[in-house]
Amino acid sequence: MRHPRLVSLAAGLAVFPLLLTGCGGSNSGSGGTTTKLSISATGTDSLPFMAILQVGIDKGWFKEAGLDVDLYNGGGGGNTLRVVTTGDADMAIAGNTSVLLAARQGGSNLKIVAPWFQVNDFYWIAPPGRSATGAKLGFSSAGSSTELLVKGLEKKLGTTSQAVGTMGDNWTAAKAGQVTAGWAMHPFVTDKQVKEGAKVLVAARDQLGDTPADLVAVNTGYAADNPDNIKAFFTVAERLNKWVVDNTDEAAKTLAPLVKVSPEVMAQALKDTPELAKAYSLKVDAQALNNLSTLMVAAGQLTEPVDWAKTMDQQYLPENARAAL
């Protein structure tokens, strides 16, 4: 199968003011209408709910909807978003806190239009024999979704935390005893359980409830010129979600090479995903959004709760996916 080129963006997470720098790109509103849609997404090579975008390209579903889609694999929330703020890409799908904080910056050129992956699928995994009592939990980087969750876990469980990096880096640190447990999502969780006997020390959903893993933001200029493209994108996204839920075995075989695990591990990982039909859905979960806001206020990332009715523009979503906010 021939895959369109995935362009790896520069690594590292820049602070949010840096998101607003750089020269304007071709899609920042000056280019007018187009059939092209450039998507910058975090984790297309490791997370199945991001890899489905590549499936949509490979199956020709985006083309059927009249879209010429380019997919870029962003290296962290900051880099994923930066190319959209400058107009070099049109849409970003990245960590919830990164998108929300960036969109609140003046002149960000970002509009939040949807949540992405509707359940809290974050875990802290460790070698056998570890205890959550007094544990040090690894997270990715400052300002990340994983930092938000470990701050919530600190308040609830009395744990401590340490910035480590990627899921792989966290697992290495956990095995070396540098942290008690490292963060992970499926299928990484399942892969390490099968191959190395990893144990789930903390399931964030059990302790903190649901939050959307990511948020979708679009460049405001692109949205003004091409609203139908954004609507078409979500039509295909819902088709992809339904494909995962209704054809899980087929989806596992297709997604496995994209996220570099075996089909058997991918199949089990999808079975282990909490509430698969909710996770792989565009249906806006107002409670999960409010939970995200509450956690961010408690962590000191926000000074007041988010007014989601003003913050998220749901007009591009299918009507049955929208919620009263």
Side-chain angles (χ1 to χ4, degrees):
M1 182 182 298
R2 182 176 179 271
H3 294 268
R5 184 167 56 103
L6 293 179
V7 182
S8 179
L9 304 177
L13 180 65
V15 295
F16 288 109
L18 293 180
L19 293 172
L20 311 182
T21 64
C23 58
S26 60
N27 295 323
S28 59
S30 60
T33 58
T34 178
T35 60
K36 293 184 177 296
L37 175 64
S38 295
I39 304 171
S40 177
T42 302
T44 59
D45 57 355
S46 59
L47 300 171
F49 58 84
M50 292 297 201
I52 60 172
L53 298 171
Q54 185 62 53
V55 175
I57 294 172
D58 294 341
K59 286 182 174 291
W61 290 356
F62 286 117
K63 283 193 174 180
E64 288 177 21
L67 294 177
D68 181 7
V69 170
D70 288 325
L71 181 61
Y72 299 84
N73 185 26
N79 290 310
T80 301
L81 290 161
R82 186 181 301 106
V83 291
V84 179
T85 65
T86 61
D88 295 312
D90 309 311
M91 175 182 288
I93 309 177
N96 48 33
T97 56
S98 297
V99 174
L100 186 56
L101 292 173
R104 293 165 74 92
Q105 294 285 326
S108 70
N109 298 322
L110 290 174
K111 177 196 289 193
I112 299 174
V113 294
W116 191 261
F117 197 73
Q118 309 292 338
V119 301
N120 187 342
D121 190 48
F122 287 90
Y123 302 84
W124 272 261
I125 60 174
R130 304 276 174 92
S131 170
T133 303
K136 179 187 290 185
L137 305 179
F139 64 95
S140 59
S141 59
S144 66
S145 303
T146 55
E147 185 190 32
L148 176 70
L149 293 174
V150 293
K151 285 182 178 293
L153 293 171
E154 284 173 6
K155 293 179 182 296
K156 187 141 190 188
L157 301 177
T159 52
T160 59
S161 61
Q162 178 179 317
V164 177
T166 66
M167 288 186 279
D169 292 339
N170 270 259
W171 178 239
T172 298
K175 290 192 294 182
Q178 296 169 348
V179 294
T180 310
W183 77 275
M185 302 180 77
H186 290 106
F188 191 91
V189 175
T190 304
D191 189 56
K192 297 310 172 188
Q193 287 175 322
V194 170
K195 293 180 178 178
E196 300 186 49
K199 303 296 182 183
V200 172
L201 198 69
V202 178
R205 191 184 198 217
D206 293 345
Q207 301 296 329
L208 302 174
D210 276 333
T211 62
D214 298 282
L215 295 173
V216 184
V218 293
N219 178 277
T220 52
Y222 182 89
D225 289 340
N226 301 281
D228 289 342
N229 288 3
I230 304 172
K231 293 176 182 177
F233 165 79
F234 283 119
T235 298
V236 177
E238 190 66 347
R239 183 180 180 183
L240 288 163
N241 283 330
K242 191 173 188 301
W243 168 73
V244 172
V245 174
D246 294 346
N247 302 278
T248 306
D249 291 340
E250 176 191 339
K253 292 177 183 177
T254 304
L255 290 167
L258 297 178
V259 296
K260 304 176 182 65
V261 297
S262 70
E264 294 76 17
V265 165
M266 188 70 251
Q268 187 59 50
L270 290 175
K271 291 177 183 177
D272 291 343
T273 300
E275 293 190 64
L276 188 69
K278 178 184 178 182
Y280 285 86
S281 168
L282 292 179
K283 178 63 178 174
V284 176
D285 184 344
Q287 183 177 347
L289 290 174
N290 289 332
N291 192 30
L292 171 61
S293 172
T294 299
L295 287 168
M296 291 182 73
V297 171
Q301 294 180 339
L302 297 173
T303 57
E304 58 185 22
V306 178
D307 184 341
W308 288 105
K310 294 181 179 178
T311 300
M312 181 175 291
D313 187 349
Q314 301 181 76
Q315 67 170 300
Y316 309 100
L317 290 169
E319 288 191 17
N320 62 2
R322 302 172 194 173
L325 299 176

